[in-house]
Amino acid sequence: MSDDEIRDLLDLGLDDDDPQGSGARGTRPGAHLSAEQLWSAGRRQRTRGRAWFGGVGAAAAAASILGIVWAQGLAGGEAGPPPPADGTSDTVPGPTVEVDDAGRGEPYFARFESIYAEHAEQLSGSSRPATLEDLQGTWDGPHGELLVVEDEQVILTIANCQTIRSSGTVTVDGRLSADEWEMSQADGPDCVEPDPAMPHWSAIITRQPLVSMDGGTLIISGLDGTTDEPRVYVAMSLGPVDETGFAWADVPSETGVTPLTLGRDVQLLTSGTGDATALQSISEIGLEDRPGASAAAQGGDVEALGYPGTCPLQLESSLRSDGVLLVGEPAPFVACAADSDAPLPSAEPSPAVLALLRSNPTVAFTDDTMVISGTIPESMLTDTPPPVDDTAPTSDPPVESADPTDDGTGGQTPTYRDDIPLVLGTPTVVVMSEGEWAPTGELTPLTEEAATGRRWLPVTTESDPPDAGADPIGDRGLSFDGTTWRIRDCGIDVRVRGWLQDGVLTQTGEPEIVDNPDPGAACVSPRYPEDWAAMLTGEPYLAVDGDILVISTRLGDGIQLEPVGMALAPQGEAPPNAEMVRPVEVEDLAAGLVEVPGQEAAYDIGVSDARDPRPGHSTTIGWEDGAITVDVGCAEPLTGPAWLSPSEHNQSVLRAALPEVPEACAGAAADDAELWRQLLAHGATLHHFADHVILDAWADPAVAGPEVLP
Amino acid sequence: MSDPGAPFVAYVNARRGALLRSATLITGDPHTAQDLLQDALIKLAARWERVGEGSPDAYVRRIMFHDNVSRWRRTGREVPVGEVAESARPLGGTEPIDPARAVTGLDVRRALAELTDKQRAVLVLRYYDDLSETQIAQTLEVSNGTVKSQAHAALKRLRELLPEAAEALVGSEETP
């Protein structure tokens, strides 16, 4: 018998010989996207830079939208905002503060559709100042208003009864103007209560509102004059994040316009539809791509939305031909809003940024810089950002108190749920080595001094011993030159500026991804450059064991991790007269530990955040020759290199690289395997409590199961 | 100016059928395979400059394998072929075993579904796509020894599941 016969047998598996058509003979290539469509989709994916941007762009593409993101550590996803990337002070106003004598009040943005329009049109994002001719006709407003323009007669009816009328005109810069407005109020059965959200038209109409046409839609916008607080001129400078041209981040103001710093970093995502978008105007300034078109074709791909950990705000917008930016009210993106299937905490950009964007600012471009100039309330000049949340979680789990009734949250500020801090992304461990594989089983946090000048190569932990493989590109590996971390692999060249403290890498700049660094190279890296960028910017924990480097990080995919607590019972006899609370030693693991049922852990032992992913099954863990073994019921125990390191408060941290693809493992056991892979990739804190070992870590609740409440 | 996407389009048109068949064997479901392959080809397009002149097949296979595992993690293991056991034809007669006639495609798919993801991938890559051990090791990011052991385990398991075809299920590596 030959390999050909095995091939024939496998080929038989493609025969469609069952009534449900499970074979593949009948599935012809091209049933989905054509090769040309695949190419287009792939190129869009390539140009969108970050998958997260693509997701946001896709969501934003449903309308002409200016998305705004409070950067707060783009890939970190943690709760606290970092200092501005440009290193500027947060609160110091510019030296040339100038007050807008005319502008007062709250911003408004109202869309009016012709009464003959079958439905509200989607804004194209590109608009122009309206003329009086444009306004001729009858228009429905967003809150039941009715606007009638006949020749010079302008009549606005509110709530069926209140009428504002005048003989008006439209200025060349698109402002509706009249000498005097006549207001009247009628009584009658048709009168209704005005919508509380309706703009204060009686105040607005006298302040020469901007009237603009976006396709067939009339936009009336401006400041309503309902407050007396002076507004001051400010400007925000933004530079493109990448070549796609629809992601912009704030840059130091060097334009001569009021150099106000706006409190904290901000990123804008611009999107639109069709050819006549505002974005096209942006791209014409010097960018090659047409971001509006590219974003519009992303389809429903929003799976990566929320990668930075917050839900961006979207603002319906339109850029006029004279450079005036019309911006609506902010709202969370639908795909990650509180009532969505994948809710995320809303981004909280500086109120000053929102006020600026909504002030009908002008947009100008200088080289690659976009400058948005407008006004904000004077009081916002002293707007201060919220304090950095020092309690935001790092790679380490919360310290488990010796008191088993302690909830373990340590009083951390709630950021997403009421009871747990925000920890996003699937736990992932990367093992690297710069020499021979000679683990001691204990890790020490990496320092910058110890890292400088070294180069670690990724190793495959599934081989025995773990192997770094070949280096076909000559400089493969992770290195640090004193300021910048760089990962090189086949087709990958990612650099991240950052600093280490207690082993935690904090980025100080955006990751730089070199496009196509190894043209023509035959080798392929198992990871994407974006994965590396995410892992290195996700506040990874780096620790070394001799020549071995272990990186505990998370791969952002929108999963919010939850704390997982377990109790493990020694398989052997507990040492007599042992301390009540003491660290876990390798010997404890080598003797074997067995999972205590969740009910018992929660009720009898008092484990907080207790989980029992598989009631009735007890996982056992052991240790041998520097490797952990975890038996979850698969055909063979999971095993991988592991490190048990002492920690504070008589605790130990267990980290391990378990296989991502469990062998001979299916069903609930496979889920359990994934749970343990995550727990040990993140790092599990262990300590003895009386006769048990308490484990605390973080994992995806989808595999950890619900919390067992005492 | 030449169309930079033309080589990609030509590659897809030439290789899509074969890759789809591999994907179907790996996933056990042609519709899932279509999705898997489509996603992999989109990723290939995104990196065509880097991968196109090298080994796009290897890249696509690697993506499909990893994405299949990820898909399984998200959705849980699905064995769509297991529900149609009744339609399997019994193996019959005393004639010499000829797998191509005696075992149905459904039998094969059911048996493949019983393998682990990695065993199935190794089997398909080794015997259906005719890749070398080294190529498979690079695709799956495992050692050559793992490829060998997985292939051996896969064939052994298939022999148990398809005793009628056991005689055919002896790989060249297993031949004394």
Side-chain angles (χ1 to χ4, degrees):
Chain A
M1 295 298 170
S2 68
D3 292 357
D4 288 340
E5 284 175 301
I6 299 176
R7 187 187 196 287
D8 290 341
L9 189 72
L10 292 174
D11 199 39
L12 193 61
L14 299 172
D15 276 343
D16 196 3
D17 56 2
D18 69 80
Q20 295 190 8
S22 295
R25 300 268 185 236
T27 305
R28 295 287 174 248
H32 290 186
L33 296 179
S34 68
E36 290 79 4
Q37 289 171 320
L38 290 169
W39 173 255
S40 298
R43 306 313 281 181
R44 288 193 300 273
Q45 188 178 73
R46 175 175 179 268
T47 55
R48 69 188 182 183
R50 291 171 177 274
W52 179 75
F53 283 149
V56 172
S64 176
I65 283 171
L66 186 67
I68 183 170
V69 182
W70 178 28
Q72 68 174 31
L74 185 61
E78 300 295 8
D86 55 18
T88 53
S89 167
D90 286 334
T91 57
V92 179
T96 56
V97 174
E98 184 182 348
V99 174
D100 175 10
D101 293 329
R104 295 285 192 279
E106 298 296 323
Y108 62 90
F109 175 94
R111 291 178 48 170
F112 284 75
E113 306 290 345
S114 168
I115 60 168
Y116 300 112
E118 293 184 359
H119 52 80
E121 289 189 33
Q122 184 171 301
L123 293 185
S124 72
S126 180
S127 52
R128 59 177 173 79
T131 64
L132 191 59
E133 287 70 31
D134 292 325
L135 268 56
Q136 298 298 310
T138 305
W139 304 82
D140 282 324
H143 304 286
E145 304 95 330
L146 191 68
L147 175 67
V148 179
V149 181
E150 290 182 7
D151 297 327
E152 294 181 348
Q153 285 297 312
V154 180
I155 305 171
L156 179 64
T157 305
I158 302 166
N160 294 342
C161 293
Q162 185 181 356
T163 303
I164 305 171
R165 70 173 66 211
S166 181
S167 176
T169 185
V170 177
T171 64
V172 290
D173 61 343
R175 291 184 177 277
L176 181 59
S177 174
D179 288 338
E180 188 172 351
W181 291 91
E182 177 187 337
M183 302 186 194
S184 61
Q185 177 75 45
D187 292 325
D190 295 335
C191 294
V192 297
E193 282 292 317
D195 185 338
M198 186 165 59
H200 298 275
W201 288 111
S202 56
I204 290 170
I205 206 76
T206 62
R207 303 180 69 85
Q208 295 192 348
L210 280 177
V211 286
S212 312
M213 297 302 299
D214 184 310
T217 300
L218 168 64
I219 300 173
I220 303 179
S221 60
L223 298 170
D224 65 11
T226 55
T227 63
D228 292 329
E229 181 179 2
R231 296 178 70 94
V232 294
Y233 288 105
V234 296
M236 176 168 61
S237 301
L238 303 122
V241 170
D242 53 35
E243 75 273 21
T244 66
F246 68 89
W248 299 76
D250 61 334
V251 296
S253 179
E254 298 171 350
T255 61
V257 188
T258 306
L260 173 74
T261 54
L262 290 163
R264 63 215 71 168
D265 284 355
V266 64
Q267 291 202 350
L268 294 181
L269 308 174
T270 55
S271 182
T273 57
D275 293 335
T277 68
L279 306 171
Q280 193 174 11
S281 302
I282 292 172
S283 66
E284 285 172 351
I285 300 301
L287 299 168
E288 295 177 359
D289 233 3
R290 281 178 31 207
S294 68
Q298 294 294 336
D301 179 15
V302 293
E303 61 181 354
L305 199 71
Y307 170 61
T310 60
C311 190
L313 299 181
Q314 64 181 27
L315 302 94
E316 194 174 33
S317 63
S318 189
L319 181 59
R320 294 206 324 185
S321 55
D322 58 356
V324 174
L325 182 63
L326 314 173
V327 178
E329 288 193 27
F333 269 107
V334 173
C336 55
D339 56 353
S340 69
D341 291 337
L344 286 172
S346 179
E348 297 178 6
S350 160
V353 171
L354 292 178
L356 167 61
L357 292 173
R358 300 212 61 211
S359 67
N360 283 335
T362 57
V363 178
F365 297 88
T366 303
D367 296 328
D368 279 344
T369 302
M370 172 165 59
V371 180
I372 300 178
S373 305
T375 64
I376 63 172
E378 191 174 33
S379 62
M380 287 186 178
L381 285 176
T382 56
D383 172 45
T384 55
V388 173
D389 180 6
D390 290 327
T391 61
T394 63
S395 295
D396 286 327
V399 174
E400 174 76 9
S401 168
D403 174 5
T405 62
D406 191 321
D407 68 4
T409 58
Q412 291 167 328
T413 304
T415 54
Y416 187 53
R417 284 176 30 176
D418 290 341
D419 56 341
I420 60 172
L422 189 67
V423 184
L424 293 173
T426 303
T428 301
V429 66
V430 178
V431 180
M432 312 182 92
S433 177
E434 62 173 347
E436 288 197 8
W437 185 261
T440 66
E442 185 173 323
L443 293 170
T444 55
L446 182 63
T447 63
E448 291 187 357
E449 184 179 7
T452 304
R454 295 171 75 174
R455 182 162 65 93
W456 294 271
L457 274 64
V459 299
T460 302
T461 54
E462 291 187 35
S463 59
D464 186 19
D467 179 28
D471 183 5
I473 58 175
D475 61 348
R476 185 168 171 249
L478 178 72
S479 58
F480 179 63
D481 64 4
T483 58
T484 301
W485 298 83
R486 182 188 187 195
I487 179 70
R488 280 283 286 126
D489 205 343
C490 292
I492 290 179
D493 189 350
V494 178
R495 303 169 201 218
V496 175
R497 291 173 67 90
W499 53 279
L500 274 179
Q501 185 173 31
D502 298 329
V504 177
L505 172 59
T506 302
Q507 69 182 103
T508 56
E510 291 304 313
E512 298 175 27
I513 301 177
V514 177
D515 192 25
N516 195 23
D518 304 302
C523 55
V524 178
S525 168
R527 296 190 186 276
Y528 297 123
E530 292 80 5
D531 288 348
W532 273 110
M535 291 193 297
L536 291 176
T537 56
E539 293 196 349
Y541 174 76
L542 285 70
V544 289
D545 176 8
D547 289 343
I548 300 168
L549 171 67
V550 177
I551 305 174
S552 285
T553 183
R554 297 185 301 277
L555 207 47
D557 54 7
I559 294 173
Q560 184 191 12
L561 303 186
E562 294 185 3
V564 173
M566 288 184 183
L568 306 166
Q571 286 189 308
E573 290 293 322
N577 303 318
E579 293 289 328
M580 184 73 169
V581 176
R582 63 186 193 281
V584 173
E585 310 281 357
V586 167
E587 290 73 21
D588 297 311
L589 300 177
L593 296 168
V594 59
E595 178 189 359
V596 172
Q599 290 286 329
E600 182 182 340
Y603 283 84
D604 300 337
I605 306 173
V607 173
S608 58
D609 305 308
R611 312 276 174 155
D612 194 349
R614 295 170 66 195
H617 170 84
S618 291
T619 293
T620 60
I621 64 176
W623 178 286
E624 186 176 357
D625 294 336
I628 192 84
T629 57
V630 181
D631 189 349
V632 295
C634 299
E636 296 178 359
L638 315 171
T639 186
W643 293 265
L644 185 68
S645 311
S647 182
E648 298 176 325
H649 308 298
N650 280 324
Q651 300 186 87
S652 306
V653 176
L654 177 63
R655 298 179 194 275
L658 293 180
E660 293 204 3
V661 186
E663 300 296 342
C665 206
D671 279 347
D672 222 4
E674 172 63 11
L675 169 63
W676 278 91
R677 190 197 66 76
Q678 291 188 15
L679 295 176
L680 299 186
H682 187 284
T685 302
L686 302 177
H687 73 270
H688 278 287
F689 182 73
D691 295 335
H692 294 92
V693 169
I694 308 298
L695 176 150
D696 286 288
W698 292 79
D700 179 357
V703 293
E707 182 181 354
V708 180
L709 297 173
Chain B
M1 184 176 174
S2 62
D3 178 4
F8 173 85
V9 171
Y11 165 79
V12 171
N13 289 333
R15 296 295 300 151
R16 191 172 195 167
L19 292 168
L20 179 60
R21 288 190 287 276
S22 297
T24 303
L25 290 172
I26 289 174
T27 63
D29 174 55
H31 304 293
T32 304
Q34 276 276 24
D35 292 341
L36 196 65
L37 175 60
Q38 187 166 286
D39 288 348
L41 291 174
I42 288 174
K43 291 172 180 173
L44 173 66
R47 290 162 175 78
W48 181 250
E49 286 84 354
R50 179 159 62 87
V51 181
E53 294 180 5
S55 178
D57 271 7
Y59 181 82
V60 171
R61 289 193 182 101
R62 174 177 292 182
I63 295 299
M64 287 199 300
F65 172 71
H66 286 287
D67 285 359
N68 185 50
V69 173
S70 299
R71 177 188 61 84
W72 165 76
R73 281 210 188 102
R74 289 196 304 271
T75 62
R77 187 181 294 272
E78 297 173 355
V79 188
V81 294
E83 300 173 2
V84 288
E86 307 77 37
S87 64
R89 282 186 284 125
L91 299 162
T94 56
E95 296 176 5
I97 293 173
D98 181 351
R101 290 201 311 269
V103 181
T104 68
L106 181 62
D107 294 331
V108 174
R109 289 193 295 277
R110 290 177 60 198
L112 288 173
E114 292 294 317
L115 305 180
T116 67
D117 291 318
K118 192 173 290 184
Q119 286 174 349
R120 193 163 52 248
V122 167
L123 201 67
V124 172
L125 295 176
R126 174 68 186 86
Y127 297 105
Y128 193 80
D129 294 332
D130 203 24
L131 266 59
S132 69
E133 279 182 6
T134 300
Q135 290 172 314
I136 298 171
Q138 291 172 346
T139 299
L140 304 185
E141 298 153 35
V142 298
S143 66
N144 284 28
T146 298
V147 173
K148 194 185 290 285
S149 64
Q150 291 295 305
H152 175 77
L155 289 174
K156 180 183 176 187
R157 182 70 176 135
L158 279 189
R159 285 195 289 268
E160 295 169 358
L161 296 167
L162 298 171
E164 302 82 357
E167 194 175 333
L169 291 167
V170 179
S172 56
E173 294 84 349
E174 298 179 315
T175 307

